[in-house]
Amino acid sequence: MDESYIVDVTKKECSCRLWELNGYGCVHLVATLAFLNVTPDGPYVDPLYLSAFFHNTYKKSISGMNGMNMWPSTTFTPPLPPLKRRMPDSPKVKRIRHDSEMYGKHTLSKEGKKVSCGICKEKGHNKNTCTQVSMPPKTNVTKKQKIMQTQESVNMQAIEEDDVMGDIVEP
């Protein structure tokens, strides 16, 4: 509401200069025409934007073409595809290595390294093959079964505690 624009309907000018630049009216023209109770068609709209011009443009339909095998043959040489060219892109981050430098990963082999046990700290075997400590045999129990077993054991402890408390409270 702080800004005001002057619209001259007869000269087709607005102080925002959008009408002169684009060739069609701005919102200020529409507001002025609404204030004057005039419809915005006629001399205020370019004929390019009228619906009759649009309908006249698309009056005729465009039919599809036959397949390539039905085209008439010519003696002209067929057009070649365009030449491939390298598109501009960002500069390379990696430096260009000299021919004498090694390529690929630099990995070290574990040949000659002695493994040590995580339980008895002796060299020559690991904790899976340690003979000093007997590990319990692995069972094929899923996580869900383990959770259910722990919940059952908690419930059983709660029942036992209730029984003990019940014996003490009763006279």
Side-chain angles (χ1 to χ4, degrees):
M1 298 310 246
D2 296 339
E3 299 175 354
S4 62
Y5 295 94
I6 300 169
V7 179
D8 190 355
V9 180
T10 57
K11 291 183 182 178
K12 295 184 180 181
E13 290 180 353
C14 180
S15 60
C16 74
R17 298 192 59 226
L18 193 65
W19 201 352
E20 293 90 17
L21 293 173
N22 293 338
Y24 53 86
C26 58
V27 293
H28 312 114
L29 170 69
V30 175
T32 305
L33 293 177
F35 178 76
L36 296 173
N37 202 11
V38 177
T39 58
D41 56 352
Y44 307 111
V45 179
D46 192 88
L48 182 70
Y49 298 107
L50 296 177
S51 61
F53 195 86
F54 174 80
H55 289 296
N56 200 17
T57 303
Y58 295 103
K59 184 170 40 178
K60 296 182 180 178
S61 64
I62 300 172
S63 59
M65 292 181 63
N66 295 330
M68 248 172 73
N69 56 355
M70 299 182 83
W71 292 354
S73 59
T74 62
T75 58
F76 303 117
T77 57
L80 296 173
L83 296 173
K84 288 187 178 181
R85 61 186 178 102
R86 188 173 172 269
M87 298 301 290
D89 58 349
S90 57
K92 295 198 182 284
V93 177
K94 291 178 88 175
R95 67 180 180 86
I96 300 171
R97 295 178 182 250
H98 190 262
D99 292 336
S100 63
E101 293 183 83
M102 287 182 55
Y103 285 97
K105 292 183 177 180
H106 298 286
T107 56
L108 297 174
S109 67
K110 292 187 177 182
E111 187 179 339
K113 184 177 180 185
K114 298 260 185 173
V115 291
S116 60
C117 179
I119 298 170
C120 65
K121 309 296 185 216
E122 290 182 7
K123 293 195 179 283
H125 67 277
N126 58 15
K127 66 180 180 180
N128 292 334
T129 58
C130 186
T131 56
Q132 291 187 0
V133 179
S134 62
M135 301 294 279
K138 288 188 176 182
T139 58
N140 293 335
V141 180
T142 62
K143 282 186 176 182
K144 191 173 184 180
Q145 291 173 340
K146 284 182 183 179
I147 292 171
M148 291 179 71
Q149 288 174 355
T150 54
Q151 287 176 349
E152 288 176 3
S153 64
V154 169
N155 290 342
M156 291 300 291
Q157 288 176 354
I159 292 171
E160 290 174 1
E161 288 176 5
D162 287 343
D163 289 343
V164 171
M165 295 300 282
D167 292 342
I168 296 172
V169 175
E170 289 182 13

